[in-house]
């Protein structure tokens, strides 16, 4: 459970902080960056706290750089330099990507003795897709909430995030289908792995996709309040899907 929580926090921090580059600071103001940067700084702080309790230990060099960028963004959000946050978000993309690759390598090294069929490259791909799905859904949810306090703000800014969320969802759904292909033995509901496989499909693909598309529909109608409600659900289902996915990775060696 600790390993799963660690990985989900890492993905949310990487994808979420990178997604801040789609939020224009001049139109939004510093308040949004204070909230969002604080959330992702708290996620990184959780990683630092949980590190000794996992097989991963200290951060890789890329993880250290990424953490420094997130903490710097959280500090700057309280100053007049908050407009630099999107620049830090750009810089965090390569650092976050290498951090997830290193994390996938460490997860593979910890699990491969018991799961020899687990592929480190496939695990890294899934970590990247999950970072986009969980991170963008979190930022979109926070951003949608911001529209409730500033309803005059144009919805096109949130639509940008929504497009990225839909792209991350499409990539994740395609990866789930690819990972399942030829492994139909896990489809039996008599096997606990089959139950978790069904939960992964329902929560991580079907439910997230339905909520993301409904949020898109309501945004086109300029109903940001309804869209935000579905973005909340999309984030919750995305996290539920990730936890079921880690059960399948830890128990069956499936990077799904």
């Amino acid at each position: 459970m600790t390993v799963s929580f660690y990985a989900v926090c890492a993905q949310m921090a990487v994808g979420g902080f990178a997604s801040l580059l789609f939020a224009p600071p001049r139109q939004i103001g510093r308040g949004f960056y204070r909230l969002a940067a604080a959330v992702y700084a708290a996620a990184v702080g959780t990683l630092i706290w949980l590190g000794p309790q996992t097989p991963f230990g200290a951060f890789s060099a890329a993880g250290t750089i990424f953490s420094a960028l997130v903490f710097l963004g959280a500090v700057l959000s309280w100053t007049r330099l908050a407009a630099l946050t999107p620049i830090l978000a750009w810089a965090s993309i390569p650092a976050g990507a290498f951090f997830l690759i290193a994390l996938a390598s460490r997860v593979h090294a910890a699990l491969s003795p018991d799961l020899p069929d687990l592929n480190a490259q496939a695990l890294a791909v899934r970590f990247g897709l999950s970072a986009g799905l969980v991170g963008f859904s979190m930022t979109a949810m926070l951003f949608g909430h911001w529209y409730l306090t500033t309803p005059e703000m144009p919805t096109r800014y949130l639509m940008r995030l929504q497009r990225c969320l839909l792209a991350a969802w499409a990539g994740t759904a395609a990866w789930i289908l690819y990972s399942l292909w030829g492994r139909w033995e896990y489809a039996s509901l008599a096997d606990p792995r089959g139950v978790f496989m069904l939960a992964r499909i329902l929560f991580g693909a079907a439910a997230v996709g339905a909520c993301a598309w409904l949020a898109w529909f309501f945004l086109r109608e300029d109903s940001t309040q309804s869209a935000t409600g579905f973005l909340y659900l999309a984030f919750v289902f995305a996290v539920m899907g990730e936890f079921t996915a880690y059960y399948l990775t830890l128990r069956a060696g499936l990077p799904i």
Side-chain angles (χ1 to χ4, degrees):
M1 186 66 179
T2 302
V3 171
S4 302
F5 189 74
Y6 184 98
V8 171
C9 279
Q11 292 161 5
M12 184 182 73
V14 171
F17 191 73
S19 67
L20 294 182
L21 63 90
F22 292 96
R26 292 181 180 177
Q27 288 80 3
I28 300 172
R30 285 180 286 179
F32 171 74
Y33 288 107
R34 290 173 184 171
L35 173 63
V39 168
Y40 299 127
V44 172
T46 302
L47 297 179
I48 296 173
W49 173 61
L50 287 179
Q53 306 174 46
T54 67
F56 313 137
F59 281 154
S60 62
T64 302
I65 295 172
F66 170 76
S67 301
L69 290 171
V70 174
F71 285 133
L72 180 60
V75 172
L76 291 183
S77 67
W78 289 89
T79 71
R80 294 182 179 180
L81 298 177
L84 295 178
T85 304
I87 298 175
L88 296 176
W90 274 112
S92 76
I93 293 176
F98 282 109
F99 171 43
L100 291 182
I101 291 171
L103 179 60
S105 178
R106 293 185 181 188
V107 172
H108 177 261
L111 298 179
S112 57
D114 299 321
L115 301 168
D117 294 332
L118 185 63
N119 185 285
Q121 290 76 22
L123 198 59
V125 171
R126 193 187 72 77
F127 277 19
L129 291 171
S130 298
L133 187 67
V134 178
F136 275 102
S137 60
M138 167 60 89
T139 300
M141 177 186 72
L142 296 175
F143 201 10
H145 179 75
W146 213 250
Y147 275 83
L148 303 181
T149 59
T150 53
E152 70 279 359
M153 192 162 52
T155 58
R156 65 177 179 271
Y157 304 130
L158 184 54
M159 290 286 274
R160 295 174 185 172
L161 277 170
Q162 188 65 17
R163 292 189 189 99
C164 294
L165 174 58
L166 288 171
W169 166 78
T172 301
W175 181 258
I176 291 174
L177 293 176
Y178 170 77
S179 301
L180 274 176
W181 194 261
R183 296 185 175 95
W184 308 117
E185 67 271 16
Y186 295 114
S188 173
L189 295 182
D191 189 325
R193 293 174 300 184
V195 175
F196 276 84
M197 184 73 76
L198 179 61
R200 172 61 168 156
I201 295 171
L202 290 178
F203 296 139
V208 174
C211 292
W213 281 107
L214 284 169
W216 172 268
F217 170 79
F218 284 114
L219 280 177
R220 292 181 61 184
E221 302 297 321
D222 287 331
S223 179
T224 54
Q225 185 171 1
S226 298
T228 301
F230 282 107
L231 289 171
Y232 269 88
L233 291 174
F235 171 73
V236 171
F237 284 130
V239 171
M240 292 172 66
E242 289 307 308
F243 276 108
T244 57
Y246 281 110
Y247 174 89
L248 292 167
T249 299
L250 297 173
R251 299 296 181 183
L254 293 178
I256 192 172

